[in-house]
Amino acid sequence: SQQGEEDPQALSIQEGENATMNCSYKTSINNLQWYRQNSGRGLVHLILIRSNEREKHSGRLRVTLDTSKKSSSLLITASRAADTASYFCATDEDFGNEKLTFGTGTRLTIIP
Amino acid sequence: NAGVTQTPKFRVLKTGQSMTLLCAQDMNHEYMYWYRQDPGMGLRLIHYSVGEGTTAKGEVPDGYNVSRLKKQNFLLGLESAAPSQTSVYFCASSDSTFQRVANGYTFGSGTRLTVV
């Protein structure tokens, strides 16, 4: 079964608005990562947050992590048409386990 | 610097045929992975390797075999293709555990396989 479940499955917003996606997971983690996938392409690593961190920023991206609720959120501020893509969370469940488990993704569409 | 290269990009197979998907990385990464992506299912791990000569099963290994004879290459084989293996296959690689935690995975652009 999937470790991460993203919510919502699909999101459409106007250009310039903020987009928020959520990820829930089931087991204890070492870190959580977010990836972007443009249509027909491979995934690209965006940002990583460790289990002892609560918030992290990278450019227009803001990630939060609540380990007590086993959830994370990805906020994209001032969205652009180029942000249209699918976004996946991935959990690193156990340090040394050597693999990531991906969620089902959120499809984000930015309307110009 | 090509990163992770997958070949072929597209393939149509008949049920029962066999084929091999090739993944090559030029970053000297230790770890390599094969995932399949299906609508509504996200990415599911098929097999992975933590170093040359090693392989391990992932979440959905049945019907697939892998080999890592050289550090830079990770091959995924389908011995007898079935329609249920119609999917998009992604290869990924990462550096040592410490680097992987810092930089995440590097993905190839995918192989779209259709089994008829």
Side-chain angles (χ1 to χ4, degrees), chain B residues 38-53:
Chain B
D38 302 292
M41 301 292 290
L43 277 79
R44 293 181 291 169
L45 182 64
I46 305 171
H47 286 280
Y48 64 103
S49 169
V50 299
E52 181 178 322

Side-chain angles (χ1 to χ4, degrees), chain B residues 55-91:
Chain B
T55 63
K57 294 180 179 180
E59 181 185 0
V60 289
D62 294 342
Y64 305 95
N65 57 76
V66 288
S67 63
R68 183 97 181 270
L69 299 179
K70 294 183 178 180
K71 185 177 183 180
Q72 64 268 34
N73 296 335
F74 195 30
L75 279 63
L76 178 70
L78 284 73
E79 296 176 340
S80 179
S84 61
Q85 293 178 304
T86 293
S87 187
V88 181
Y89 292 85
F90 287 99
C91 177

Side-chain angles (χ1 to χ4, degrees), chain A residues 10-15 19 79-81 83-87 106-112:
Chain A
L11 178 63
S12 293
I13 61 172
Q14 295 288 333
E15 191 169 18
S79 64
R80 306 168 181 170
D83 295 328
T84 293
S86 292
Y87 292 82
T106 292
R107 175 66 188 170
L108 175 65
T109 302
I110 307 300
I111 304 167

